[in-house]
Amino acid sequence: MSLQKLNNDFNVHRSIDCLNLNILKENTNSPPVINKNNRFTKNLLKRRSSNLIADLASIGNHENFYTYELIQQIAQYLLDRTNIRPKIGIICGSGLGNLADVITDSVSFPYHEIPHFPVSTVAGHVGRLVFGYLDGVPIMCMQGRFHYYEGYPLWKCSMPVRVMKLVGVSHLIVTNAAGGLNPKYRAGDIMIMKDHINFLGFAGNNPLQGVNDERFGPRFPAMNRAYNASLRKAAHKIAKEMGIDKFVREGVYAVLGGPNFETIAELRMLRVCGVDAVGMSTVHEVLTAQHCDMKVFAFSLITNKCVMDYESMAEANHEENIDTGLMREGVIKKLVTKVVGHISNHDLAMSSKNP
Ligand SMILES: O=P(O)(O)O[C@@H]1C[C@H](O)[C@@H](CO)O1
């Protein structure tokens, strides 16, 4: 897809968002229908698209433009086109999309074909939803995610998690590429996420802002058990069985907005705060998943050691991150497949016995 086409798609989405916002202000529970006769909409339509974007910012980026009914429509669109009924969702991080290669009997939905979906704009994020099977277990996988720095508000970045929920997903596996801050970490290590620090949230930016629809979850969700303890324990056991435990860690991930990599002073501050790895994603998805009562397992591939001293000539770069993903491709495919197997044999088997 050309850059021009990407930009066009992006602006079209933005413009439609402004109109949807207008409709939602009138009735947050009905599916958005563009009412061109509305006074506010008329005014918006008169302006150029750059002004529309400014309007969106001035109104506040906080409204949840995707109603429950709209998410239902997206979920139904997918369910109408495949017989696969996944209970496990997977999100692939930068350079980790090759995970989708091991999905069998797959049915793919490019994001630009799914109604109301944003498009992926980052190298290493293919941009499609893949339904299929991992080791015989039905799953759905985001081969490419949405980041705040792409220009999408957080509620839009994490909207696919709610689609997963309405498709029937109860467990979410989230992966990302991250920079290693813990001095013991090396490029190629895998860090099981035990917790996170939401620096975007500290700045007042959260995917759960805006009108809360209780059908998704509560207004004030707890986050102290966001990363499921028994799944973390199971993943360590699997890592040991695979003989990769020497480079599997457990730690705290911090999200920053990106797209620039961090300054040395920023990294030093994060380390003082107890951060083991830093990245630009995942947290908005985990907040959304936890809000709608999904069990979450997440890990970071440490793609680079963060540059922490002023004398170093090294620089973080996206290409290196993708290369590290390729280096660990085989291990990650196997780890995720085995975690999926564990969830299926334990959590899902138990819940079908005790519905
Ligand atoms: O999507 P993830 O979080 O895996 O991507 C990381 C963070 C930036 O998007 C990119 C930087 O190389 O990789």
Side-chain angles (χ1 to χ4, degrees), residues 33-215:
V33 179
I34 295 173
N35 173 5
K36 294 200 186 99
N37 294 323
N38 177 294
R39 182 174 55 84
F40 184 76
T41 309
K42 269 185 183 163
N43 282 340
L44 280 175
L45 283 169
K46 274 192 213 146
R47 300 183 194 179
R48 292 209 317 272
S49 83
S50 57
N51 285 344
L52 286 172
I53 292 169
D55 270 326
L56 180 61
S58 69
I59 292 160
N61 230 348
H62 306 158
E63 301 287 338
N64 178 355
F65 301 158
Y66 289 103
T67 57
Y68 190 91
E69 287 75 10
L70 188 60
I71 304 272
Q72 260 179 334
Q73 280 176 29
I74 302 172
Q76 198 57 50
Y77 171 92
L78 299 165
L79 291 171
D80 285 346
R81 285 160 181 79
T82 172
N83 293 326
I84 300 167
R85 295 291 178 261
K87 293 261 182 275
I88 302 173
I90 301 171
I91 302 179
C92 299
S94 284
L96 302 174
N98 294 338
L99 185 54
D101 298 347
V102 280
I103 300 174
T104 55
D105 299 314
S106 61
V107 183
S108 294
F109 300 93
Y111 293 155
H112 67 268
E113 286 180 8
I114 307 173
H116 312 291
F117 243 67
V119 289
S120 285
T121 66
V122 182
H125 292 263
V126 175
R128 57 184 183 181
L129 265 182
V130 184
F131 283 64
Y133 298 86
L134 270 186
D135 217 11
V137 180
I139 55 102
M140 66 187 283
C141 172
M142 280 183 78
Q143 201 179 15
R145 64 150 54 86
F146 307 113
H147 305 86
Y148 185 63
Y149 64 74
E150 291 175 78
Y152 299 123
L154 287 177
W155 53 261
K156 181 171 268 189
C157 293
S158 58
M159 169 274 290
V161 173
R162 288 184 166 173
V163 173
M164 286 181 177
K165 176 74 183 181
L166 297 197
V167 162
V169 166
S170 57
H171 289 66
L172 184 65
I173 300 175
V174 195
T175 70
N176 62 61
L181 270 166
N182 185 318
K184 291 188 184 143
Y185 289 9
R186 297 186 194 297
D189 284 359
I190 291 170
M191 185 192 83
I192 294 171
M193 285 173 65
K194 180 181 185 174
D195 205 344
H196 71 232
I197 299 183
N198 178 12
F199 279 98
L200 292 176
F202 283 12
N205 194 357
N206 188 302
L208 305 177
Q209 275 167 341
V211 177
N212 185 60
D213 191 325
E214 295 275 334
R215 287 174 290 180

Side-chain angles (χ1 to χ4, degrees), residues 295-311:
K295 282 191 182 160
V296 174
F297 171 70
F299 68 84
S300 302
L301 175 64
I302 305 300
T303 50
N304 55 295
K305 258 178 107 70
C306 291
V307 179
M308 302 284 280
D309 69 87
Y310 287 97
E311 283 66 48

